[in-house]
Amino acid sequence: MKKKLVSIHHFLVALILISKGFDKIQHHHSFIGWTILLLGVIVLSYFIFIKLSKKPHATLELLIHLFESIALFLTSYVYFQEGKSLLPFVTMIAGIGFLMATILHLKKHYKRHEN
């Protein structure tokens, strides 16, 4: 059950990023739109990869958490620019969560290699 929930959040984040990336590209914000879209496609590719391989990939997971964090911070910025009231805070909290997951993952990795 936990594995399914963990992988589903990657899928949901990918959908949000891809849709927001397309939206920004259509509104002539090419750089940030393409950046968010590309990060969304990377996250979606990772989701598909872990579903097909069914094996844990610690390094890829670390990179994906970092990508998701960066993309969610960019999305928060876009939502602030659009004048949204609640969405920027939701995506910022999610971005902080992914950043914390990245840091914890790195700490765990270094502890494993110290012993």
Side-chain angles (χ1 to χ4, degrees), residues 44-98:
L44 183 61
S45 300
Y46 173 74
F47 172 78
I48 293 168
F49 177 75
I50 61 172
K51 285 298 178 187
L52 294 177
S53 70
K54 298 182 182 182
K55 294 179 185 177
H57 300 278
T59 306
L60 282 178
E61 186 177 351
L62 175 72
L63 288 172
I64 289 301
H65 283 267
L66 184 62
F67 286 159
E68 287 171 324
S69 179
I70 292 167
L72 286 167
F73 286 134
L74 284 173
T75 305
S76 294
Y77 169 76
V78 167
Y79 284 143
F80 275 121
Q81 291 292 322
E82 293 176 347
K84 305 287 185 190
S85 59
L86 185 61
L87 284 173
F89 297 105
V90 171
T91 52
M92 187 176 291
I93 290 168
I96 290 169
F98 281 114

Side-chain angles (χ1 to χ4, degrees), residues 16-42:
I16 291 167
L17 295 176
I18 290 170
S19 66
K20 196 62 186 167
F22 274 128
D23 181 55
K24 287 287 101 184
I25 292 168
Q26 290 175 347
H27 289 98
H28 307 291
H29 299 282
S30 294
F31 178 74
I32 201 156
W34 279 107
T35 303
I36 292 172
L37 178 66
L38 179 63
L39 290 170
V41 169
I42 289 170

